[in-house]
């Protein structure tokens, strides 16, 4: 079953008399449990596409169907619920609260969920354990390395057990070793836990952790191919 269906999606920004078409009739589907990388250079439209898929921005035209339902049929309240419970976001800049512990950062999405408060610590600790950071659980996020910060961001994305994880350049601020560790975690979430993953990246090495790569150039899909030699995830964490 398709979790995501995109049909002739376009995005145009208007500034004064100037129109800029960032996306041009983009169409593709993503099955539940699939790991898809969307590749393209800066300005190609890939992050704009991810923002629309994550209900963070509206398309100018076209149709977006999420989990069998047209995006246009969602109320603002329903969109807020979907973003909090069905979608997990991982951003390049981590977006952690700097003076707050790892545990409290991971618990943040639970503040707006229907999960009973007495279960928050348990769920957050489980997500932190899944990314190998139990030994840092009471540390402030400002005390962590870049790789550790991104693993906290992954745990935060996981805490509500979302249908899909959207990762926007998750290794962009990391060195190669930390970046590999982060991608291994994301890949294992797909392979072992069955999470659907959409990854935005400009790096071929990172994209090859996915099963399929969609390449975007100048707002249009250039190619959509399966990865012939998918990289293998390891069980090693960066301490």
């Amino acid at each position: 079953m398709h979790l995501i269906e995109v049909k002739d999606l376009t995005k145009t920004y208007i500034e004064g008399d100037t129109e800029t078409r960032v996306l041009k009739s983009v169409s593709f589907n993503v099955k539940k449990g699939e790991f898809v990388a969307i590749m393209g250079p800066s300005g190609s439209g890939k992050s704009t596409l991810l923002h629309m898929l994550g209900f963070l921005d509206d398309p100018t035209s076209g149709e977006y169907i999420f989990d069998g339902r047209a995006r246009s049929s969602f109320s603002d309240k329903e969109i807020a619920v979907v973003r909090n419970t069905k979608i997990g976001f991982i951003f390049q800049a981590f977006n952690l609260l700097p003076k707050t512990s790892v545990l409290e950062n991971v618990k943040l999405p639970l503040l707006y969920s229907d999960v009973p408060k007495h279960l928050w610590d348990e769920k957050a600790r489980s997500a932190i354990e899944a990314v190998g950071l139990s030994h840092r659980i009471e540390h402030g996020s400002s005390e962590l390395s870049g790789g550790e910060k991104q693993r906290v961001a992954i745990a935060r994305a996981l805490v509500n057990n979302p249908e899909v994880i959207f990762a926007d350049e998750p290794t962009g601020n990391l060195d190669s070793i930390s970046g590999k560790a982060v991608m291994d975690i994301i890949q294992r979430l797909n392979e072992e836990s069955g999470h659907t993953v959409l990854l935005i990246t400009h790096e071929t090495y990172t994209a090859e952790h996915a099963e399929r790569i969609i390449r975007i150039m100048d707002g249009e899909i250039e190619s959509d191919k399966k990865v012939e030699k998918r990289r293998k995830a390891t069980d090693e964490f960066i301490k």
Side-chain angles (χ1 to χ4, degrees), residues 106-155:
V106 174
K107 281 163 62 174
L108 280 175
L110 298 171
L111 297 174
Y112 309 99
S113 72
D114 293 329
V115 177
K117 192 171 183 179
H118 70 274
L119 295 178
W120 290 1
D121 273 19
E122 178 186 340
K123 286 183 69 69
R125 288 177 184 277
S126 177
I128 292 165
E129 183 180 353
V131 299
L133 276 182
S134 294
H135 63 296
R136 302 287 262 167
I137 197 165
E138 298 299 340
H139 285 70
S141 60
S142 58
E143 302 174 65
L144 307 179
S145 68
E148 288 173 332
K149 288 178 180 177
Q150 194 58 290
R151 283 153 62 189
V152 175
I154 294 170

Side-chain angles (χ1 to χ4, degrees), residues 67-230:
D67 206 11
R69 184 174 169 188
R71 186 253 180 268
S72 57
S73 71
F74 286 85
S75 68
D76 289 345
K77 185 176 180 180
E78 287 173 326
I79 286 173
V81 171
V82 167
R83 283 203 302 250
N84 189 53
T85 61
K86 292 196 173 187
I87 296 173
F89 293 101
I90 305 168
F91 297 104
Q92 179 177 341
F94 318 132
N95 294 348
L96 304 181
L97 297 180
K99 296 181 180 179
T100 306
S101 71
V102 168
L103 180 63
E104 294 302 317
N105 266 287
V106 174
K107 281 163 62 174
L108 280 175
L110 298 171
L111 297 174
Y112 309 99
S113 72
D114 293 329
V115 177
K117 192 171 183 179
H118 70 274
L119 295 178
W120 290 1
D121 273 19
E122 178 186 340
K123 286 183 69 69
R125 288 177 184 277
S126 177
I128 292 165
E129 183 180 353
V131 299
L133 276 182
S134 294
H135 63 296
R136 302 287 262 167
I137 197 165
E138 298 299 340
H139 285 70
S141 60
S142 58
E143 302 174 65
L144 307 179
S145 68
E148 288 173 332
K149 288 178 180 177
Q150 194 58 290
R151 283 153 62 189
V152 175
I154 294 170
R156 184 183 57 195
L158 285 177
V159 75
N160 272 328
N161 193 30
E163 288 265 354
V164 59
I165 295 171
F166 290 126
D168 193 355
E169 300 279 7
T171 63
N173 285 335
L174 305 178
D175 60 62
S176 59
I177 295 174
S178 297
K180 175 65 166 60
V182 162
M183 287 310 305
D184 284 349
I185 292 170
I186 293 173
Q187 186 172 343
R188 286 203 314 277
L189 291 173
N190 169 251
E191 292 178 341
E192 298 174 12
S193 304
H195 285 88
T196 306
V197 179
L198 257 76
L199 167 74
I200 295 292
T201 185
H202 65 277
E203 302 166 332
T204 300
Y205 182 91
T206 301
E208 286 174 350
H209 284 270
E211 301 168 284
R212 174 180 157 208
I213 298 175
I214 297 173
R215 295 181 186 272
I216 291 184
M217 180 68 72
D218 298 326
E220 297 179 290
I221 291 180
E222 188 178 56
S223 64
D224 184 347
K225 297 179 180 178
K226 287 190 174 183
V227 176
E228 292 184 7
K229 292 185 179 179
R230 188 182 186 189

